Amino acid sequence: MASEWKTLPLEECLDAIIDYRGKTPRKVDAGIPLITAKIVKNGRIQEPTEFISPADFDDWMTRGLPRIGDVVLTTEAPLGEVAQIGQLPVALAQRIVTLRGKRGLVDNNFLLYALQSEPMQTQMKGRSSGTTVLGIKQSELRKVVLAIPPMERQQLAASVLKALDTRISLLEETNATLEAIAQTLFKSWFVDFDPVHAKAEGRVPDGMDVATAALFPDTFEDSPLGPIPQGWRAASLSDCMELNPQRVLRKGSLASYLDMANAPTQGHRPAEITQRELGSGSKFTNGDTLLAKITPCLENGKTAFVDFLADNEVGWGSTEFIVMRPKAPLPPFWGYLLARMPNFRAFAIQAMTGTSGRQRVDLGSLKQFSVVVPDDGVAEAFEKIIEPLRARIAAASSHADSLSQLRDTLLPRLISGKLRLPDAQVIEKAIP
């Protein structure tokens, strides 16, 4: 019943607000993960990229220590991204506040989803300041009002949403494993030449059937790149790839659009595809690889493989993508896996020109990247192995997208109490 609900300012709903704004820790290459605003996205804490030394931890974390289940909120650039701490130890950076629901009043899981709801996001933006970049002061955050249902309803609402998020996370972890397998296989065959080395030493290549092993030579030959498998060839990137191939879209037509913000830094599937009227930008079809060419997007790993369009559909995106497509018989996904290789990315970064902060890859230089191209039989065998992996990743990504849409649909109804408890319980049991 509505009479059982309470409406209180956030500061009365919390046992702790931990805020490290105004301090900058000394960062190291490895150590205790640092939660920054950059890695809090879409309700999750992404893989940390910055760390502090364990020796500095006690001196840095003097304003309070987070606990498992605490909610982290970005206060600026961007404002309003929310996630939950799932493991310790972690250090907290600037532009992050950590919130802990008051025992017996606010469930932390409920708080996680309530802060993602439109009413709470609207309140935070309304109390923010700044023109180019919006930010919220702690004094204003404390005044944001939270509608609090009875604890049983909080916990049930959160459990439904949490079950969906858990399923989505499992699908994403499976995809990460499948892509790691694909990248390992690519490196083994086309960078380290493991099957050829094995045959040269009189061994059967690991994990390979007889028919596939027979496609590989057992000797090497000299090339400008050094020894390469006999019958394979050394080539430049432009010899084996189409770069920015011609694609036709009628001006002003509505088409699938990928902006740079939604290009993935890990995995090949973009976070979101929208529909937008064609303007100036790159054009692509299924089977193309999109490589960010501008700093810091290239260094951050923004790279996508296009398998999200309908058959024969042409999409478009940021002008800051280089579109890559392998020439037959190299399979399309071969191009994406090459673009994820550390040596390729290092070469692309070295090929950047321009003023500091606005550097871009020089396409003429990138074309000179050296590649070892296998013979047709090996290329076709690789496609037979790799295409089912890619298809599984795509299917799991589509399933995760459907679950995300269901979560986003349910979230406002569960948080506001518009969805009845019995209906919520049915939905929770039916989550695939």
Side-chain angles (χ1 to χ4, degrees):
M1 296 177 58
S3 60
E4 297 175 322
W5 287 57
K6 299 178 181 178
T7 302
L8 297 171
L10 199 56
E11 66 179 350
E12 295 182 25
C13 303
L14 302 173
D15 278 334
I17 300 179
I18 306 172
D19 191 343
Y20 279 84
R21 278 180 286 190
K23 296 181 68 178
T24 302
R26 184 175 65 89
K27 298 170 187 175
V28 295
D29 293 334
I32 295 174
L34 184 65
I35 298 179
T36 68
K38 293 185 293 186
I39 64 169
V40 179
K41 293 182 180 179
N42 302 318
R44 294 175 180 79
I45 298 173
Q46 299 184 334
E47 190 71 24
T49 57
E50 298 176 84
F51 306 87
I52 71 169
S53 169
D56 294 338
F57 183 77
D58 289 342
D59 290 338
W60 169 251
M61 298 291 290
T62 57
R63 297 181 184 175
L65 295 174
R67 298 177 185 173
I68 298 291
D70 284 355
V71 176
V72 291
L73 168 73
T74 62
T75 59
E76 181 184 347
L79 168 63
E81 290 284 352
V82 186
Q84 197 166 32
I85 293 174
Q87 61 183 27
L88 297 173
V90 294
L92 305 172
Q94 296 194 65
R95 299 191 283 123
I96 288 280
V97 294
T98 301
L99 310 175
R100 187 177 305 142
K102 182 167 287 188
R103 184 183 294 273
L105 178 64
V106 176
D107 179 77
N108 266 350
N109 291 334
F110 177 81
L111 180 63
L112 168 71
Y113 294 107
L115 288 169
Q116 296 176 60
S117 68
E118 186 175 350
M120 296 293 282
Q121 290 283 317
T122 299
Q123 285 189 73
M124 285 188 282
K125 286 176 182 155
R127 291 186 174 277
S128 66
S129 55
T131 51
T132 306
V133 176
L134 292 180
I136 189 168
K137 298 176 181 177
Q138 187 187 128
S139 58
E140 291 298 316
L141 179 62
R142 287 173 174 271
K143 298 174 186 175
V144 170
V145 174
L146 177 64
I148 311 166
M151 183 60 71
E152 180 186 8
R153 177 174 285 278
Q154 289 184 49
Q155 292 173 341
L156 180 56
S159 70
V160 173
L161 298 169
K162 201 75 171 177
L164 286 165
D165 274 338
T166 297
R167 182 65 181 130
I168 292 166
S169 294
L170 288 173
L171 289 167
E172 291 173 346
E173 289 169 9
T174 298
N175 277 356
T177 299
L178 291 173
E179 180 157 322
I181 291 170
Q183 290 178 357
T184 298
L185 187 65
F186 180 95
K187 184 174 183 292
S188 175
W189 284 25
F190 304 121
V191 178
D192 298 334
F193 312 130
D194 288 336
V196 183
H197 283 293
K199 291 184 71 174
E201 296 167 4
R203 295 183 290 107
V204 176
D206 292 338
M208 188 175 289
D209 61 70
V210 174
T212 304
L215 298 171
F216 287 85
D218 58 8
T219 57
F220 290 86
E221 62 184 51
D222 290 334
S223 80
L225 303 179
I228 64 173
Q230 189 174 45
W232 295 19
R233 64 186 177 90
S236 66
L237 189 68
S238 57
D239 287 336
C240 64
M241 288 265 201
E242 294 181 83
L243 298 170
N244 294 330
Q246 187 71 31
R247 306 285 189 230
V248 178
L249 262 180
R250 193 171 59 199
K251 188 174 182 179
S253 60
L254 191 67
S256 297
Y257 176 81
L258 174 62
D259 62 14
M260 187 61 74
N262 284 311
T265 56
Q266 297 175 330
H268 81 259
R269 270 292 181 111
E272 183 180 6
I273 303 297
T274 58
Q275 294 293 307
R276 185 178 294 188
E277 189 174 295
L278 176 65
S280 175
S282 56
K283 301 179 185 68
F284 46 79
T285 61
N286 281 341
D288 289 344
T289 291
L290 308 179
L291 176 74
K293 67 180 180 181
I294 190 170
T295 191
C297 300
L298 173 62
E299 295 93 329
N300 290 342
K302 285 187 174 285
T303 306
F305 181 77
V306 183
D307 61 0
F308 46 80
L309 301 174
D311 292 344
N312 301 316
E313 181 184 359
V314 178
W316 71 290
S318 168
T319 57
E320 303 296 353
F321 288 128
I322 294 174
V323 182
M324 305 165 53
R325 191 180 189 96
K327 298 177 182 178
L330 294 173
F333 207 55
W334 188 94
Y336 168 76
L337 295 171
L338 174 67
R340 285 289 185 199
M341 288 293 108
N343 62 329
F344 176 85
R345 304 196 73 82
F347 186 95
I349 290 168
Q350 289 298 316
M352 299 181 91
T353 60
T355 58
S356 177
R358 298 299 294 176
Q359 291 187 315
R360 292 177 173 85
V361 175
D362 176 68
L363 187 59
S365 298
L366 187 66
K367 288 179 178 180
Q368 302 309 309
F369 180 76
S370 296
V371 180
V372 178
V373 180
D375 63 27
D376 292 5
V378 171
E380 291 164 2
F382 185 72
E383 182 170 26
K384 288 179 182 178
I385 296 171
I386 219 68
E387 180 55 21
L389 286 177
R390 184 212 60 79
R392 286 177 63 188
I393 293 171
S397 295
S398 295
H399 189 190
D401 289 343
S402 297
L403 293 176
S404 294
Q405 290 170 12
L406 176 59
R407 179 200 59 207
D408 294 344
T409 300
L410 292 175
L411 191 151
R413 299 184 65 198
L414 285 165
I415 295 302
S416 65
K418 291 179 180 178
L419 190 66
R420 295 186 310 118
L421 284 178
D423 294 335
Q425 289 168 329
V426 170
I427 291 170
E428 183 178 23
K429 292 176 182 177
I431 291 171

